[in-house]
PDB file of all heavy atoms in Angstrom:
ATOM      1  N   ILE A 442     -12.669 -18.362  21.343  1.00 75.00           N
ATOM      2  CA  ILE A 442     -13.216 -17.192  20.627  1.00 75.00           C
ATOM      3  C   ILE A 442     -12.122 -16.168  20.370  1.00 75.00           C
ATOM      4  O   ILE A 442     -12.015 -15.599  19.278  1.00 75.00           O
ATOM      5  CB  ILE A 442     -14.371 -16.576  21.432  1.00 75.00           C
ATOM      6  CG1 ILE A 442     -15.559 -17.539  21.471  1.00 75.00           C
ATOM      7  CG2 ILE A 442     -14.802 -15.240  20.835  1.00 75.00           C
ATOM      8  CD1 ILE A 442     -16.646 -17.124  22.410  1.00 75.00           C
ATOM      9  N   LEU A 443     -11.294 -15.892  21.383  1.00 77.00           N
ATOM     10  CA  LEU A 443     -10.205 -14.921  21.220  1.00 77.00           C
ATOM     11  C   LEU A 443      -9.231 -15.370  20.153  1.00 77.00           C
ATOM     12  O   LEU A 443      -8.738 -14.550  19.360  1.00 77.00           O
ATOM     13  CB  LEU A 443      -9.492 -14.718  22.555  1.00 77.00           C
ATOM     14  CG  LEU A 443     -10.253 -13.934  23.617  1.00 77.00           C
ATOM     15  CD1 LEU A 443      -9.498 -13.931  24.937  1.00 77.00           C
ATOM     16  CD2 LEU A 443     -10.484 -12.491  23.157  1.00 77.00           C
ATOM     17  N   ALA A 444      -8.935 -16.672  20.123  1.00 79.00           N
ATOM     18  CA  ALA A 444      -8.016 -17.176  19.101  1.00 79.00           C
ATOM     19  C   ALA A 444      -8.604 -16.968  17.713  1.00 79.00           C
ATOM     20  O   ALA A 444      -7.914 -16.500  16.792  1.00 79.00           O
ATOM     21  CB  ALA A 444      -7.718 -18.660  19.359  1.00 79.00           C
ATOM     22  N   ALA A 445      -9.894 -17.325  17.576  1.00 78.00           N
ATOM     23  CA  ALA A 445     -10.534 -17.151  16.272  1.00 78.00           C
ATOM     24  C   ALA A 445     -10.603 -15.676  15.878  1.00 78.00           C
ATOM     25  O   ALA A 445     -10.378 -15.296  14.723  1.00 78.00           O
ATOM     26  CB  ALA A 445     -11.930 -17.761  16.300  1.00 78.00           C
ATOM     27  N   THR A 446     -10.907 -14.833  16.868  1.00 76.00           N
ATOM     28  CA  THR A 446     -10.977 -13.392  16.592  1.00 76.00           C
ATOM     29  C   THR A 446      -9.624 -12.836  16.195  1.00 76.00           C
ATOM     30  O   THR A 446      -9.508 -12.018  15.276  1.00 76.00           O
ATOM     31  CB  THR A 446     -11.495 -12.650  17.831  1.00 76.00           C
ATOM     32  OG1 THR A 446     -12.775 -13.172  18.195  1.00 76.00           O
ATOM     33  CG2 THR A 446     -11.611 -11.161  17.574  1.00 76.00           C
ATOM     34  N   GLY A 447      -8.570 -13.271  16.895  1.00 77.00           N
ATOM     35  CA  GLY A 447      -7.232 -12.800  16.560  1.00 77.00           C
ATOM     36  C   GLY A 447      -6.821 -13.185  15.157  1.00 77.00           C
ATOM     37  O   GLY A 447      -6.247 -12.376  14.411  1.00 77.00           O
ATOM     38  N   VAL A 448      -7.098 -14.440  14.778  1.00 80.00           N
ATOM     39  CA  VAL A 448      -6.756 -14.883  13.424  1.00 80.00           C
ATOM     40  C   VAL A 448      -7.534 -14.074  12.390  1.00 80.00           C
ATOM     41  O   VAL A 448      -6.977 -13.617  11.374  1.00 80.00           O
ATOM     42  CB  VAL A 448      -7.038 -16.395  13.278  1.00 80.00           C
ATOM     43  CG1 VAL A 448      -6.884 -16.825  11.829  1.00 80.00           C
ATOM     44  CG2 VAL A 448      -6.109 -17.207  14.172  1.00 80.00           C
ATOM     45  N   ALA A 449      -8.853 -13.889  12.625  1.00 77.00           N
ATOM     46  CA  ALA A 449      -9.667 -13.130  11.675  1.00 77.00           C
ATOM     47  C   ALA A 449      -9.198 -11.688  11.566  1.00 77.00           C
ATOM     48  O   ALA A 449      -9.131 -11.125  10.470  1.00 77.00           O
ATOM     49  CB  ALA A 449     -11.136 -13.180  12.099  1.00 77.00           C
ATOM     50  N   ALA A 450      -8.854 -11.088  12.721  1.00 75.00           N
ATOM     51  CA  ALA A 450      -8.377  -9.700  12.709  1.00 75.00           C
ATOM     52  C   ALA A 450      -7.053  -9.592  11.972  1.00 75.00           C
ATOM     53  O   ALA A 450      -6.822  -8.645  11.212  1.00 75.00           O
ATOM     54  CB  ALA A 450      -8.241  -9.184  14.144  1.00 75.00           C
ATOM     55  N   LEU A 451      -6.162 -10.562  12.207  1.00 82.00           N
ATOM     56  CA  LEU A 451      -4.867 -10.533  11.534  1.00 82.00           C
ATOM     57  C   LEU A 451      -5.038 -10.638  10.021  1.00 82.00           C
ATOM     58  O   LEU A 451      -4.405  -9.897   9.253  1.00 82.00           O
ATOM     59  CB  LEU A 451      -3.996 -11.678  12.057  1.00 82.00           C
ATOM     60  CG  LEU A 451      -2.578 -11.767  11.474  1.00 82.00           C
ATOM     61  CD1 LEU A 451      -1.792 -10.493  11.771  1.00 82.00           C
ATOM     62  CD2 LEU A 451      -1.841 -12.992  12.028  1.00 82.00           C
ATOM     63  N   LEU A 452      -5.920 -11.559   9.597  1.00 81.00           N
ATOM     64  CA  LEU A 452      -6.162 -11.693   8.165  1.00 81.00           C
ATOM     65  C   LEU A 452      -6.769 -10.414   7.583  1.00 81.00           C
ATOM     66  O   LEU A 452      -6.406  -9.980   6.483  1.00 81.00           O
ATOM     67  CB  LEU A 452      -7.104 -12.881   7.914  1.00 81.00           C
ATOM     68  CG  LEU A 452      -6.516 -14.286   8.183  1.00 81.00           C
ATOM     69  CD1 LEU A 452      -7.592 -15.344   8.024  1.00 81.00           C
ATOM     70  CD2 LEU A 452      -5.334 -14.566   7.255  1.00 81.00           C
ATOM     71  N   ALA A 453      -7.715  -9.794   8.335  1.00 76.00           N
ATOM     72  CA  ALA A 453      -8.329  -8.558   7.856  1.00 76.00           C
ATOM     73  C   ALA A 453      -7.315  -7.430   7.763  1.00 76.00           C
ATOM     74  O   ALA A 453      -7.332  -6.634   6.816  1.00 76.00           O
ATOM     75  CB  ALA A 453      -9.481  -8.163   8.778  1.00 76.00           C
ATOM     76  N   ILE A 454      -6.392  -7.375   8.738  1.00 77.00           N
ATOM     77  CA  ILE A 454      -5.355  -6.339   8.718  1.00 77.00           C
ATOM     78  C   ILE A 454      -4.438  -6.519   7.521  1.00 77.00           C
ATOM     79  O   ILE A 454      -4.087  -5.561   6.818  1.00 77.00           O
ATOM     80  CB  ILE A 454      -4.571  -6.344  10.037  1.00 77.00           C
ATOM     81  CG1 ILE A 454      -5.475  -5.839  11.185  1.00 77.00           C
ATOM     82  CG2 ILE A 454      -3.325  -5.487   9.946  1.00 77.00           C
ATOM     83  CD1 ILE A 454      -4.878  -6.020  12.550  1.00 77.00           C
ATOM     84  N   LEU A 455      -4.019  -7.768   7.302  1.00 81.00           N
ATOM     85  CA  LEU A 455      -3.160  -8.031   6.148  1.00 81.00           C
ATOM     86  C   LEU A 455      -3.868  -7.673   4.844  1.00 81.00           C
ATOM     87  O   LEU A 455      -3.264  -7.085   3.926  1.00 81.00           O
ATOM     88  CB  LEU A 455      -2.763  -9.516   6.146  1.00 81.00           C
ATOM     89  CG  LEU A 455      -1.802  -9.957   7.267  1.00 81.00           C
ATOM     90  CD1 LEU A 455      -1.606 -11.470   7.227  1.00 81.00           C
ATOM     91  CD2 LEU A 455      -0.455  -9.235   7.144  1.00 81.00           C
ATOM     92  N   LEU A 456      -5.168  -8.004   4.761  1.00 78.00           N
ATOM     93  CA  LEU A 456      -5.930  -7.684   3.562  1.00 78.00           C
ATOM     94  C   LEU A 456      -6.037  -6.174   3.357  1.00 78.00           C
ATOM     95  O   LEU A 456      -5.902  -5.672   2.232  1.00 78.00           O
ATOM     96  CB  LEU A 456      -7.329  -8.306   3.657  1.00 78.00           C
ATOM     97  CG  LEU A 456      -8.240  -8.116   2.434  1.00 78.00           C
ATOM     98  CD1 LEU A 456      -7.603  -8.749   1.197  1.00 78.00           C
ATOM     99  CD2 LEU A 456      -9.613  -8.707   2.706  1.00 78.00           C
ATOM    100  N   SER A 457      -6.256  -5.430   4.436  1.00 74.00           N
ATOM    101  CA  SER A 457      -6.350  -3.969   4.317  1.00 74.00           C
ATOM    102  C   SER A 457      -5.024  -3.363   3.894  1.00 74.00           C
ATOM    103  O   SER A 457      -4.985  -2.416   3.104  1.00 74.00           O
ATOM    104  CB  SER A 457      -6.812  -3.363   5.647  1.00 74.00           C
ATOM    105  OG  SER A 457      -5.834  -3.544   6.653  1.00 74.00           O
ATOM    106  N   ILE A 458      -3.917  -3.934   4.393  1.00 76.00           N
ATOM    107  CA  ILE A 458      -2.603  -3.421   3.986  1.00 76.00           C
ATOM    108  C   ILE A 458      -2.377  -3.680   2.504  1.00 76.00           C
ATOM    109  O   ILE A 458      -1.881  -2.816   1.766  1.00 76.00           O
ATOM    110  CB  ILE A 458      -1.507  -4.069   4.843  1.00 76.00           C
ATOM    111  CG1 ILE A 458      -1.618  -3.565   6.299  1.00 76.00           C
ATOM    112  CG2 ILE A 458      -0.119  -3.744   4.289  1.00 76.00           C
ATOM    113  CD1 ILE A 458      -0.678  -4.250   7.252  1.00 76.00           C
ATOM    114  N   LEU A 459      -2.744  -4.894   2.052  1.00 78.00           N
ATOM    115  CA  LEU A 459      -2.576  -5.222   0.636  1.00 78.00           C
ATOM    116  C   LEU A 459      -3.432  -4.306  -0.242  1.00 78.00           C
ATOM    117  O   LEU A 459      -2.975  -3.816  -1.287  1.00 78.00           O
ATOM    118  CB  LEU A 459      -2.951  -6.688   0.400  1.00 78.00           C
ATOM    119  CG  LEU A 459      -1.986  -7.737   0.966  1.00 78.00           C
ATOM    120  CD1 LEU A 459      -2.562  -9.130   0.788  1.00 78.00           C
ATOM    121  CD2 LEU A 459      -0.612  -7.629   0.317  1.00 78.00           C
ATOM    122  N   ILE A 460      -4.686  -4.078   0.182  1.00 75.00           N
ATOM    123  CA  ILE A 460      -5.574  -3.210  -0.606  1.00 75.00           C
ATOM    124  C   ILE A 460      -5.032  -1.782  -0.641  1.00 75.00           C
ATOM    125  O   ILE A 460      -5.036  -1.113  -1.689  1.00 75.00           O
ATOM    126  CB  ILE A 460      -7.002  -3.247  -0.033  1.00 75.00           C
ATOM    127  CG1 ILE A 460      -7.606  -4.638  -0.240  1.00 75.00           C
ATOM    128  CG2 ILE A 460      -7.881  -2.188  -0.686  1.00 75.00           C
ATOM    129  CD1 ILE A 460      -8.946  -4.832   0.428  1.00 75.00           C
ATOM    130  N   THR A 461      -4.556  -1.300   0.514  1.00 72.00           N
ATOM    131  CA  THR A 461      -3.989   0.055   0.565  1.00 72.00           C
ATOM    132  C   THR A 461      -2.775   0.173  -0.333  1.00 72.00           C
ATOM    133  O   THR A 461      -2.601   1.153  -1.068  1.00 72.00           O
ATOM    134  CB  THR A 461      -3.624   0.409   2.017  1.00 72.00           C
ATOM    135  OG1 THR A 461      -4.783   0.318   2.838  1.00 72.00           O
ATOM    136  CG2 THR A 461      -3.058   1.812   2.110  1.00 72.00           C
ATOM    137  N   ASN A 462      -1.893  -0.848  -0.274  1.00 71.00           N
ATOM    138  CA  ASN A 462      -0.691  -0.836  -1.101  1.00 71.00           C
ATOM    139  C   ASN A 462      -1.063  -0.846  -2.581  1.00 71.00           C
ATOM    140  O   ASN A 462      -0.492  -0.108  -3.398  1.00 71.00           O
ATOM    141  CB  ASN A 462       0.177  -2.042  -0.751  1.00 71.00           C
ATOM    142  CG  ASN A 462       1.484  -2.047  -1.536  1.00 71.00           C
ATOM    143  OD1 ASN A 462       2.322  -1.157  -1.377  1.00 71.00           O
ATOM    144  ND2 ASN A 462       1.651  -3.039  -2.398  1.00 71.00           N
ATOM    145  N   TRP A 463      -2.060  -1.666  -2.933  1.00 76.00           N
ATOM    146  CA  TRP A 463      -2.488  -1.744  -4.332  1.00 76.00           C
ATOM    147  C   TRP A 463      -3.130  -0.425  -4.797  1.00 76.00           C
ATOM    148  O   TRP A 463      -2.942   0.022  -5.914  1.00 76.00           O
ATOM    149  CB  TRP A 463      -3.480  -2.901  -4.475  1.00 76.00           C
ATOM    150  CG  TRP A 463      -4.062  -3.014  -5.850  1.00 76.00           C
ATOM    151  CD1 TRP A 463      -3.461  -3.478  -6.978  1.00 76.00           C
ATOM    152  CD2 TRP A 463      -5.380  -2.623  -6.231  1.00 76.00           C
ATOM    153  NE1 TRP A 463      -4.305  -3.427  -8.047  1.00 76.00           N
ATOM    154  CE2 TRP A 463      -5.519  -2.890  -7.622  1.00 76.00           C
ATOM    155  CE3 TRP A 463      -6.471  -2.094  -5.547  1.00 76.00           C
ATOM    156  CZ2 TRP A 463      -6.689  -2.634  -8.323  1.00 76.00           C
ATOM    157  CZ3 TRP A 463      -7.627  -1.845  -6.254  1.00 76.00           C
ATOM    158  CH2 TRP A 463      -7.731  -2.108  -7.621  1.00 76.00           C
ATOM    159  N   THR A 464      -3.875   0.196  -3.887  1.00 70.00           N
ATOM    160  CA  THR A 464      -4.548   1.454  -4.237  1.00 70.00           C
ATOM    161  C   THR A 464      -3.562   2.601  -4.401  1.00 70.00           C
ATOM    162  O   THR A 464      -3.718   3.446  -5.292  1.00 70.00           O
ATOM    163  CB  THR A 464      -5.580   1.809  -3.150  1.00 70.00           C
ATOM    164  OG1 THR A 464      -6.491   0.725  -2.992  1.00 70.00           O
ATOM    165  CG2 THR A 464      -6.352   3.064  -3.515  1.00 70.00           C
ATOM    166  N   THR A 465      -2.570   2.674  -3.539  1.00 64.00           N
ATOM    167  CA  THR A 465      -1.638   3.815  -3.554  1.00 64.00           C
ATOM    168  C   THR A 465      -0.442   3.601  -4.468  1.00 64.00           C
ATOM    169  O   THR A 465       0.370   4.515  -4.626  1.00 64.00           O
ATOM    170  CB  THR A 465      -1.134   4.087  -2.130  1.00 64.00           C
ATOM    171  OG1 THR A 465      -0.482   2.901  -1.625  1.00 64.00           O
ATOM    172  CG2 THR A 465      -2.278   4.455  -1.210  1.00 64.00           C
ATOM    173  N   GLN A 466      -0.312   2.422  -5.049  1.00 67.00           N
ATOM    174  CA  GLN A 466       0.853   2.141  -5.880  1.00 67.00           C
ATOM    175  C   GLN A 466       0.982   3.106  -7.062  1.00 67.00           C
ATOM    176  O   GLN A 466       2.066   3.636  -7.318  1.00 67.00           O
ATOM    177  CB  GLN A 466       0.811   0.695  -6.368  1.00 67.00           C
ATOM    178  CG  GLN A 466       2.089   0.258  -7.074  1.00 67.00           C
ATOM    179  CD  GLN A 466       2.041  -1.215  -7.449  1.00 67.00           C
ATOM    180  OE1 GLN A 466       1.000  -1.839  -7.375  1.00 67.00           O
ATOM    181  NE2 GLN A 466       3.184  -1.760  -7.854  1.00 67.00           N
ATOM    182  N   PRO A 467      -0.136   3.409  -7.796  1.00 63.00           N
ATOM    183  CA  PRO A 467       0.020   4.371  -8.905  1.00 63.00           C
ATOM    184  C   PRO A 467       0.455   5.746  -8.436  1.00 63.00           C
ATOM    185  O   PRO A 467       1.249   6.413  -9.108  1.00 63.00           O
ATOM    186  CB  PRO A 467      -1.378   4.406  -9.535  1.00 63.00           C
ATOM    187  CG  PRO A 467      -2.017   3.128  -9.136  1.00 63.00           C
ATOM    188  CD  PRO A 467      -1.479   2.816  -7.784  1.00 63.00           C
ATOM    189  N   VAL A 468      -0.034   6.158  -7.286  1.00 57.00           N
ATOM    190  CA  VAL A 468       0.348   7.476  -6.768  1.00 57.00           C
ATOM    191  C   VAL A 468       1.818   7.489  -6.376  1.00 57.00           C
ATOM    192  O   VAL A 468       2.545   8.456  -6.638  1.00 57.00           O
ATOM    193  CB  VAL A 468      -0.544   7.855  -5.560  1.00 57.00           C
ATOM    194  CG1 VAL A 468      -0.155   9.212  -5.010  1.00 57.00           C
ATOM    195  CG2 VAL A 468      -2.002   7.847  -5.959  1.00 57.00           C
ATOM    196  N   ARG A 469       2.281   6.397  -5.791  1.00 57.00           N
ATOM    197  CA  ARG A 469       3.701   6.325  -5.415  1.00 57.00           C
ATOM    198  C   ARG A 469       4.583   6.340  -6.660  1.00 57.00           C
ATOM    199  O   ARG A 469       5.628   6.990  -6.687  1.00 57.00           O
ATOM    200  CB  ARG A 469       3.959   5.065  -4.603  1.00 57.00           C
ATOM    201  CG  ARG A 469       3.307   5.077  -3.225  1.00 57.00           C
ATOM    202  CD  ARG A 469       3.978   4.066  -2.289  1.00 57.00           C
ATOM    203  NE  ARG A 469       3.976   2.724  -2.867  1.00 57.00           N
ATOM    204  CZ  ARG A 469       2.991   1.850  -2.714  1.00 57.00           C
ATOM    205  NH1 ARG A 469       1.920   2.222  -2.019  1.00 57.00           N
ATOM    206  NH2 ARG A 469       3.063   0.642  -3.252  1.00 57.00           N
ATOM    207  N   ARG A 470       4.150   5.600  -7.675  1.00 60.00           N
ATOM    208  CA  ARG A 470       4.927   5.584  -8.912  1.00 60.00           C
ATOM    209  C   ARG A 470       4.993   6.983  -9.522  1.00 60.00           C
ATOM    210  O   ARG A 470       6.054   7.430  -9.985  1.00 60.00           O
ATOM    211  CB  ARG A 470       4.298   4.613  -9.897  1.00 60.00           C
ATOM    212  CG  ARG A 470       4.507   3.148  -9.528  1.00 60.00           C
ATOM    213  CD  ARG A 470       3.817   2.259 -10.550  1.00 60.00           C
ATOM    214  NE  ARG A 470       3.985   0.860 -10.218  1.00 60.00           N
ATOM    215  CZ  ARG A 470       3.408  -0.140 -10.892  1.00 60.00           C
ATOM    216  NH1 ARG A 470       2.620   0.136 -11.932  1.00 60.00           N
ATOM    217  NH2 ARG A 470       3.622  -1.398 -10.530  1.00 60.00           N
ATOM    218  N   LEU A 471       3.855   7.675  -9.534  1.00 52.00           N
ATOM    219  CA  LEU A 471       3.845   9.040 -10.083  1.00 52.00           C
ATOM    220  C   LEU A 471       4.732   9.952  -9.251  1.00 52.00           C
ATOM    221  O   LEU A 471       5.488  10.767  -9.789  1.00 52.00           O
ATOM    222  CB  LEU A 471       2.402   9.573 -10.119  1.00 52.00           C
ATOM    223  CG  LEU A 471       2.216  10.998 -10.643  1.00 52.00           C
ATOM    224  CD1 LEU A 471       2.713  11.114 -12.075  1.00 52.00           C
ATOM    225  CD2 LEU A 471       0.751  11.407 -10.556  1.00 52.00           C
ATOM    226  N   SER A 472       4.671   9.808  -7.922  1.00 54.00           N
ATOM    227  CA  SER A 472       5.504  10.632  -7.047  1.00 54.00           C
ATOM    228  C   SER A 472       6.985  10.350  -7.279  1.00 54.00           C
ATOM    229  O   SER A 472       7.808  11.274  -7.360  1.00 54.00           O
ATOM    230  CB  SER A 472       5.141  10.355  -5.587  1.00 54.00           C
ATOM    231  OG  SER A 472       5.975  11.078  -4.731  1.00 54.00           O
ATOM    232  N   ASP A 473       7.349   9.052  -7.402  1.00 56.00           N
ATOM    233  CA  ASP A 473       8.755   8.701  -7.646  1.00 56.00           C
ATOM    234  C   ASP A 473       9.229   9.246  -8.984  1.00 56.00           C
ATOM    235  O   ASP A 473      10.357   9.745  -9.118  1.00 56.00           O
ATOM    236  CB  ASP A 473       8.925   7.184  -7.617  1.00 56.00           C
ATOM    237  CG  ASP A 473       8.682   6.615  -6.222  1.00 56.00           C
ATOM    238  OD1 ASP A 473       8.776   7.400  -5.245  1.00 56.00           O
ATOM    239  OD2 ASP A 473       8.378   5.411  -6.106  1.00 56.00           O
ATOM    240  N   ALA A 474       8.364   9.131  -9.992  1.00 53.00           N
ATOM    241  CA  ALA A 474       8.743   9.640 -11.316  1.00 53.00           C
ATOM    242  C   ALA A 474       8.971  11.147 -11.275  1.00 53.00           C
ATOM    243  O   ALA A 474       9.918  11.659 -11.866  1.00 53.00           O
ATOM    244  CB  ALA A 474       7.665   9.291 -12.327  1.00 53.00           C
ATOM    245  N   ILE A 475       8.077  11.868 -10.547  1.00 49.00           N
ATOM    246  CA  ILE A 475       8.239  13.328 -10.452  1.00 49.00           C
ATOM    247  C   ILE A 475       9.516  13.680  -9.707  1.00 49.00           C
ATOM    248  O   ILE A 475      10.264  14.582 -10.091  1.00 49.00           O
ATOM    249  CB  ILE A 475       7.011  13.953  -9.775  1.00 49.00           C
ATOM    250  CG1 ILE A 475       5.776  13.795 -10.694  1.00 49.00           C
ATOM    251  CG2 ILE A 475       7.233  15.434  -9.482  1.00 49.00           C
ATOM    252  CD1 ILE A 475       4.487  14.237 -10.048  1.00 49.00           C
ATOM    253  N   GLN A 476       9.805  12.925  -8.617  1.00 51.00           N
ATOM    254  CA  GLN A 476      11.024  13.184  -7.849  1.00 51.00           C
ATOM    255  C   GLN A 476      12.269  12.936  -8.703  1.00 51.00           C
ATOM    256  O   GLN A 476      13.217  13.735  -8.683  1.00 51.00           O
ATOM    257  CB  GLN A 476      11.052  12.292  -6.604  1.00 51.00           C
ATOM    258  CG  GLN A 476      10.000  12.643  -5.559  1.00 51.00           C
ATOM    259  CD  GLN A 476      10.269  13.989  -4.925  1.00 51.00           C
ATOM    260  OE1 GLN A 476      11.400  14.483  -4.901  1.00 51.00           O
ATOM    261  NE2 GLN A 476       9.204  14.621  -4.409  1.00 51.00           N
ATOM    262  N   SER A 477      12.273  11.824  -9.440  1.00 55.00           N
ATOM    263  CA  SER A 477      13.436  11.531 -10.283  1.00 55.00           C
ATOM    264  C   SER A 477      13.573  12.538 -11.411  1.00 55.00           C
ATOM    265  O   SER A 477      14.672  12.895 -11.823  1.00 55.00           O
ATOM    266  CB  SER A 477      13.332  10.107 -10.843  1.00 55.00           C
ATOM    267  OG  SER A 477      12.168   9.997 -11.664  1.00 55.00           O
ATOM    268  N   PHE A 478      12.420  13.023 -11.907  1.00 48.00           N
ATOM    269  CA  PHE A 478      12.475  14.020 -12.978  1.00 48.00           C
ATOM    270  C   PHE A 478      13.071  15.328 -12.474  1.00 48.00           C
ATOM    271  O   PHE A 478      13.818  16.000 -13.172  1.00 48.00           O
ATOM    272  CB  PHE A 478      11.071  14.236 -13.532  1.00 48.00           C
ATOM    273  CG  PHE A 478      11.005  15.335 -14.564  1.00 48.00           C
ATOM    274  CD1 PHE A 478      11.475  15.126 -15.856  1.00 48.00           C
ATOM    275  CD2 PHE A 478      10.453  16.571 -14.241  1.00 48.00           C
ATOM    276  CE1 PHE A 478      11.425  16.131 -16.797  1.00 48.00           C
ATOM    277  CE2 PHE A 478      10.404  17.571 -15.192  1.00 48.00           C
ATOM    278  CZ  PHE A 478      10.882  17.357 -16.464  1.00 48.00           C
ATOM    279  N   ARG A 479      12.750  15.668 -11.235  1.00 47.00           N
ATOM    280  CA  ARG A 479      13.309  16.902 -10.660  1.00 47.00           C
ATOM    281  C   ARG A 479      14.821  16.795 -10.459  1.00 47.00           C
ATOM    282  O   ARG A 479      15.543  17.772 -10.593  1.00 47.00           O
ATOM    283  CB  ARG A 479      12.634  17.207  -9.323  1.00 47.00           C
ATOM    284  CG  ARG A 479      11.197  17.704  -9.470  1.00 47.00           C
ATOM    285  CD  ARG A 479      10.594  17.953  -8.113  1.00 47.00           C
ATOM    286  NE  ARG A 479       9.235  18.485  -8.211  1.00 47.00           N
ATOM    287  CZ  ARG A 479       8.447  18.723  -7.175  1.00 47.00           C
ATOM    288  NH1 ARG A 479       8.884  18.446  -5.945  1.00 47.00           N
ATOM    289  NH2 ARG A 479       7.226  19.202  -7.344  1.00 47.00           N
ATOM    290  N   LYS A 480      15.310  15.581 -10.093  1.00 50.00           N
ATOM    291  CA  LYS A 480      16.734  15.408  -9.777  1.00 50.00           C
ATOM    292  C   LYS A 480      17.608  15.357 -11.033  1.00 50.00           C
ATOM    293  O   LYS A 480      18.785  15.664 -10.982  1.00 50.00           O
ATOM    294  CB  LYS A 480      16.934  14.139  -8.955  1.00 50.00           C
ATOM    295  CG  LYS A 480      16.347  14.249  -7.552  1.00 50.00           C
ATOM    296  CD  LYS A 480      16.556  12.949  -6.790  1.00 50.00           C
ATOM    297  CE  LYS A 480      15.956  13.048  -5.384  1.00 50.00           C
ATOM    298  NZ  LYS A 480      16.107  11.787  -4.621  1.00 50.00           N
ATOM    299  N   SER A 481      17.033  14.906 -12.122  1.00 51.00           N
ATOM    300  CA  SER A 481      17.821  14.772 -13.356  1.00 51.00           C
ATOM    301  C   SER A 481      17.538  15.933 -14.296  1.00 51.00           C
ATOM    302  O   SER A 481      16.458  16.482 -14.302  1.00 51.00           O
ATOM    303  CB  SER A 481      17.507  13.447 -14.037  1.00 51.00           C
ATOM    304  OG  SER A 481      16.147  13.403 -14.403  1.00 51.00           O
TER     305      SER A 481
END
């Protein structure tokens, strides 16, 4: 049971990281663009 739970938890964690990365990607791009615009 622990082995199965660990695998399921690991997969869920990886999925949450991917979803978070996909969700925040536009915000990061906008932030990077604003930062580069300020520097140039």
Side-chain angles (χ1 to χ4, degrees):
I442 293 171
L443 288 174
T446 302
V448 172
L451 182 60
L452 291 174
I454 291 170
L455 291 174
L456 183 61
S457 66
I458 291 174
L459 289 174
I460 293 173
T461 302
N462 183 64
W463 176 74
T464 304
T465 59
Q466 188 176 11
V468 180
R469 292 200 305 272
R470 287 179 181 175
L471 179 60
S472 177
D473 293 339
I475 293 173
Q476 291 293 336
S477 62
F478 175 76
R479 287 179 178 176
K480 291 179 181 178
S481 62

